[in-house]
Amino acid sequence: MMLRTLLIQTQRYLMQPRVWRLLGFASTLLGLISYALSSSFYQLFGGWTSLKIFAYIIFSFILSLVILFPKLWQQLRGLNFEAHMAFFVLTITSLYSYFSDKAMKGKPDAYSVTSYAAFAVTSLSLQRQNALAKNRYQRFKDENHLLVQVNMNPLLAKNDLNSNLVSSNNMPQNTQQLDEQVAIEANVLPSMEDCRWANLAAVNMLKCNLNKYLQDKVYRIPEVLVNDHNFLIDELPLQLVSDLHEKVKLMIQKGFEKLCVDQYCSWRREFLDLVGKEFSTQEIEEKGRIKSWIKVSNVSLKILFPNERRLCDRIFLGFPSVADRSFAQICGEFTSNLLDFGNCFANGSHPLNLFPSVLQVFGVLHELIPEFESVFLDQFSASLRTEAVTTRKRLRETINEMFTQLENLINCDASEVACPGGICPVSVEVMNHLSKVGEFGSSSLSGEVTRIIALLESHLEAKSKHYSNPALGFVFLMNNERYIEKKAKQYQLDKILGNQWIRQRTAKVRDNCEPYRRSSWEEVLGFLKLGTEEIEEAESMKKKLNLFNLHFNQIWRDQSAWFIHDEELKEEIITPLGKIISHTYGLFIWRFNYVLGKDANEFIKYSVLEIEDLLKDLFGWRDEKLAEMRD
């Protein structure tokens, strides 16, 4: 089974003109270089000169371009003949050189052998490309009576054709015969076999160009494919497109419009179905199904539908209403299936654990709405545009309900902080849910995100009032505000909320630093204020220093057990606090030494450096340090 699958895949690969084109181009270069280096070239043309080098380069350049761009010589029969003739001559020359060298030297020159083999491969490549191109549309050139005899078009609705012919019985005999001839010529529309070949070729070409996108190696579809709305037309021979247009025009003018549209739409719907099967994966997990849906939706709206629109306009040129109706029929069922997937996430209420999935589907659909509006412009496909907008609206309502669940989660929070002044569990849960908005959502959700975060901040502020120590309440607020700020940046919520919102969060954290310092250290710093009278200053300074030591020791023990989760925030709090306290304490100790002289050391417990080191240990949650202080 595996060998058979491998053989089928190899056969499909070898059916691609691009493979033979690249093989021919490589063998051409190899053959030309090898022949230029061979002794045969020297025997036939003599030594190299500047003129010969220039002429050989020009000759090689032209032949390489002919191989690399086959569409040019496929359309110009003269150039087609010249390309085959050139390689025929080169092959014969190489073959002659092979036997000439063998006769003269007893063995052929290695470069001659290489060039002979390379030119043979190139000739094979040209033959295969021509064969593939002719096979693609040779049936469309068959005689009309042969097409009728073998009935190669199973898409032909025989009953509809007969009814049309019967309704013409009242016409003159010549007119009825003409209509019968028109019905016969209708069979030049692609047969089922030809349709499948063209569709498979287009799907394979599309897969090759989208390989990196389908394998998640790139995030977006290459712009060159998104901007090329002639991709499908370019995959069909120009003569075939022209013939289809002429036959479609003839059928419509003679009253066979419905038959024509039905055949054409059946052909193009089969192509879309093939793309859907090839690009979709039978994933069991929800994430896999969503990823597959996203890829098919993006490819459909950005590549397939615009190309189908252009192809319809080209085939039904001169009949705009028929082109519009055909396009709507081709894309209708496929589009509805895509939107049905989105509607599955908009039905009923969903728990918060499905918030990422709903957001992801909504975000993709919201991003594709401009494509829906630009592709489905006409009256016949307007319902598809409306269906897409309705699906997005329903998903938006589902998201609003899930935001309401987040509100209830905040309002009903009765959790306790695990460590003093640490991160509130509801902050973690809410920001985890909002992170998916940054990843999958859109700017249209900025209002809801702002409202939820504002509600969370109000809840945290009210919760901070429950701390008996006001300073710890401010630490709690700073911890949670910084957590919200960092998660917003990490989850790219700034793209939705804007940089100004992020700057406001940063300022809000810093605004709490000053009230924290006043509530905990203002009294301690008050003990270090210096008096003006030297007589009473000595005793007063001893008392102030004792009070400072006592309160500093107590505050340090308390706040060393507190927690700051962010090192940067910790630095922002301690650095300015350390400068104020160490500076004020240093001035006081200098004055104390001046007043008491050598007796001052008896009362000084901490040096300035020790004060600075102790302050660095604030918010360390270090039990061993606390034990040392108690001792």
Side-chain angles (χ1 to χ4, degrees):
M1 180 63 70
M2 292 181 62
L3 179 60
R4 182 181 178 185
T5 302
L6 180 61
L7 290 174
I8 293 174
Q9 292 178 348
T10 304
Q11 183 180 7
R12 288 184 178 178
Y13 188 71
L14 293 177
M15 289 295 289
Q16 298 183 28
R18 174 182 290 184
V19 174
W20 289 102
R21 183 170 75 244
L22 294 177
L23 179 62
F25 176 70
S27 61
T28 300
L29 290 180
L30 178 61
L32 290 170
I33 294 172
S34 298
Y35 188 68
L37 298 174
S38 67
S39 59
S40 302
F41 184 92
Y42 180 81
Q43 294 173 11
L44 291 175
F45 302 104
W48 283 102
T49 63
S50 299
L51 181 61
K52 288 181 182 179
I53 293 175
F54 178 76
Y56 195 79
I57 290 175
I58 295 299
F59 174 74
S60 302
F61 179 74
I62 293 174
L63 288 181
S64 299
L65 286 182
V66 168
I67 296 299
L68 193 57
F69 301 103
K71 288 188 178 181
L72 177 62
W73 58 262
Q74 284 176 358
Q75 297 171 30
L76 301 177
R77 296 188 178 183
L79 188 57
N80 185 4
F81 172 78
E82 292 172 7
H84 282 82
M85 182 58 67
F87 281 99
F88 175 75
V89 171
L90 288 172
T91 303
I92 293 299
T93 303
S94 299
L95 187 61
Y96 163 77
S97 301
Y98 174 86
F99 288 106
S100 175
D101 289 343
K102 187 174 182 180
M104 295 177 63
K105 302 178 182 179
K107 62 178 180 179
D109 181 79
Y111 288 116
S112 297
V113 175
T114 303
S115 64
Y116 166 66
F119 289 142
V121 172
T122 302
S123 298
L124 176 62
S125 169
L126 287 172
Q127 186 273 332
R128 287 299 300 160
Q129 290 183 71
N130 252 2
L132 290 174
K134 289 179 180 179
N135 183 57
R136 193 169 184 174
Y137 62 91
Q138 70 179 55
R139 298 180 194 268
F140 304 122
K141 298 296 184 179
D142 290 345
E143 295 294 334
N144 288 337
H145 69 275
L146 179 61
L147 285 168
V148 174
Q149 180 181 353
V150 298
N151 192 22
M152 293 183 66
N153 192 351
L155 295 180
L156 180 61
K158 187 173 182 180
N159 293 334
D160 289 344
L161 178 59
N162 290 336
S163 63
N164 283 329
L165 293 176
V166 170
S167 65
S168 304
N169 284 336
N170 296 326
M171 295 182 179
Q173 184 67 23
N174 291 338
T175 304
Q176 185 170 352
Q177 290 177 355
L178 178 61
D179 286 344
E180 290 175 354
Q181 182 65 24
V182 171
I184 291 173
E185 292 182 355
N187 277 321
V188 300
L189 287 181
S191 69
M192 182 65 75
E193 183 180 352
D194 294 311
C195 285
R196 286 172 178 166
W197 194 97
N199 288 340
L200 284 172
V203 171
N204 287 333
M205 184 64 69
L206 191 62
K207 286 180 65 178
C208 289
N209 285 278
L210 292 174
N211 186 47
K212 291 184 178 180
Y213 175 70
L214 296 176
Q215 294 183 3
D216 296 323
K217 294 182 179 179
V218 293
Y219 178 67
R220 294 188 177 275
I221 299 175
E223 289 295 328
V224 64
L225 288 182
V226 175
N227 296 329
D228 183 10
H229 292 170
N230 289 318
F231 173 80
L232 295 178
I233 299 177
D234 291 342
E235 284 302 299
L236 299 172
L238 294 178
Q239 189 60 45
L240 172 60
V241 175
S242 178
D243 288 347
L244 282 173
H245 167 64
E246 292 300 325
K247 300 306 178 182
V248 162
K249 180 169 66 174
L250 183 61
M251 291 179 68
I252 294 176
Q253 289 174 346
K254 296 303 179 180
F256 294 97
E257 177 182 316
K258 183 179 183 301
L259 175 63
C260 174
V261 170
D262 288 346
Q263 289 186 22
Y264 179 80
C265 292
S266 177
W267 174 32
R268 300 317 304 160
R269 279 197 298 265
E270 184 187 68
F271 170 71
L272 294 181
D273 290 341
L274 276 174
V275 173
K277 292 177 181 178
E278 289 291 337
F279 289 9
S280 299
T281 54
Q282 300 299 322
E283 294 282 351
I284 299 177
E285 295 184 356
E286 186 175 276
K287 287 184 178 180
R289 294 199 306 272
I290 293 176
K291 181 185 291 186
S292 175
W293 175 82
I294 290 173
K295 292 187 183 300
V296 175
S297 297
N298 277 317
V299 171
S300 299
L301 270 298
K302 296 181 179 181
I303 298 179
L304 298 182
F305 294 166
N307 273 274
E308 289 294 342
R309 175 76 264 183
R310 191 70 62 89
L311 185 58
C312 274
D313 292 342
R314 186 76 170 272
I315 299 299
F316 294 97
L317 183 64
F319 306 96
S321 62
V322 180
D324 293 343
R325 187 166 64 255
S326 299
F327 176 69
Q329 289 185 29
I330 292 168
C331 302
E333 183 178 356
F334 195 86
T335 304
S336 295
N337 289 336
L338 290 178
L339 295 175
D340 285 344
F341 184 88
N343 283 318
C344 292
F345 291 90
N347 293 328
S349 58
H350 298 286
L352 279 175
N353 64 329
L354 290 180
F355 198 36
S357 299
V358 179
L359 281 171
Q360 192 172 11
V361 173
F362 170 79
V364 172
L365 186 57
H366 180 78
E367 184 179 302
L368 289 176
I369 286 297
E371 274 72 21
F372 276 99
E373 294 175 343
S374 64
V375 171
F376 301 124
L377 281 173
D378 59 85
Q379 58 176 334
F380 297 101
S381 57
S383 59
L384 298 176
R385 182 176 69 249
T386 303
E387 187 178 353
V389 174
T390 302
T391 302
R392 179 185 64 171
K393 181 180 179 182
R394 296 182 64 199
L395 285 168
R396 186 70 166 79
E397 292 172 352
T398 301
I399 290 174
N400 289 341
E401 294 176 1
M402 302 183 91
F403 273 120
T404 301
Q405 294 183 49
L406 279 179
E407 290 182 27
N408 296 334
L409 179 68
I410 296 171
N411 292 328
C412 299
D413 173 49
S415 61
E416 295 183 0
V417 183
C419 55
I423 308 300
C424 184
V426 75
S427 298
V428 177
E429 188 170 359
V430 169
M431 292 308 297
N432 282 341
H433 288 303
L434 292 182
S435 69
K436 305 307 177 183
V437 181
E439 186 176 357
F440 305 124
S442 65
S443 57
S444 64
L445 301 175
S446 60
E448 281 74 8
V449 174
T450 303
R451 179 171 55 82
I452 292 297
I453 293 181
L455 179 63
L456 175 61
E457 289 175 335
S458 298
H459 172 72
L460 294 172
E461 189 170 351
K463 203 164 187 175
S464 69
K465 306 297 183 184
H466 297 166
Y467 287 98
S468 57
N469 189 331
L472 183 56
F474 289 115
V475 169
F476 171 78
L477 281 177
M478 287 188 287
N479 263 322
N480 283 272
E481 288 286 356
R482 178 53 58 88
Y483 178 81
I484 293 172
E485 176 193 349
K486 291 191 69 173
K487 290 303 178 181
K489 292 179 180 178
Q490 177 184 344
Y491 299 141
Q492 300 181 344
L493 286 173
D494 52 333
K495 293 182 179 180
I496 295 176
L497 303 175
N499 292 327
Q500 179 64 26
W501 184 89
I502 295 294
R503 286 193 291 268
Q504 289 175 354
R505 302 278 75 68
T506 303
K508 195 167 186 178
V509 174
R510 292 173 179 170
D511 289 343
N512 284 314
C513 288
E514 183 60 24
Y516 152 75
R517 185 183 65 80
R518 288 199 306 266
S519 62
S520 57
W521 297 99
E522 193 72 25
E523 183 181 4
V524 176
L525 290 172
F527 296 136
L528 301 178
K529 290 182 179 179
L530 298 172
T532 57
E533 298 181 2
E534 294 185 4
I535 299 175
E536 300 179 359
E537 195 170 23
E539 292 300 322
S540 176
M541 291 184 72
K542 291 178 184 179
K543 184 177 180 180
K544 289 180 179 180
L545 185 58
N546 286 331
L547 289 172
F548 171 82
N549 291 337
L550 179 64
H551 284 81
F552 179 86
N553 183 274
Q554 183 61 47
I555 293 174
W556 186 91
R557 285 197 304 168
D558 291 341
Q559 297 194 12
S560 292
W562 296 354
F563 176 71
I564 295 290
H565 80 97
D566 182 67
E567 287 296 325
E568 185 179 348
L569 175 60
K570 182 178 178 180
E571 189 72 19
E572 290 175 7
I573 297 173
I574 292 177
T575 299
L577 177 64
K579 289 180 180 179
I580 294 174
I581 294 179
S582 62
H583 176 72
T584 306
Y585 182 75
L587 289 176
F588 184 89
I589 293 300
W590 179 84
R591 183 68 176 270
F592 191 72
N593 280 310
Y594 176 78
V595 173
L596 271 70
K598 62 180 180 180
D599 296 332
N601 292 331
E602 182 179 335
F603 301 95
I604 297 175
K605 185 175 182 179
Y606 306 110
S607 68
V608 174
L609 291 177
E610 287 175 332
I611 289 290
E612 292 177 350
D613 289 339
L614 287 171
L615 289 174
K616 291 178 182 178
D617 285 335
L618 290 177
F619 317 118
W621 216 16
R622 298 189 177 109
D623 295 335
E624 65 276 6
K625 279 283 185 181
L626 293 177
E628 292 178 6
M629 288 290 292
R630 291 191 185 99
D631 294 340

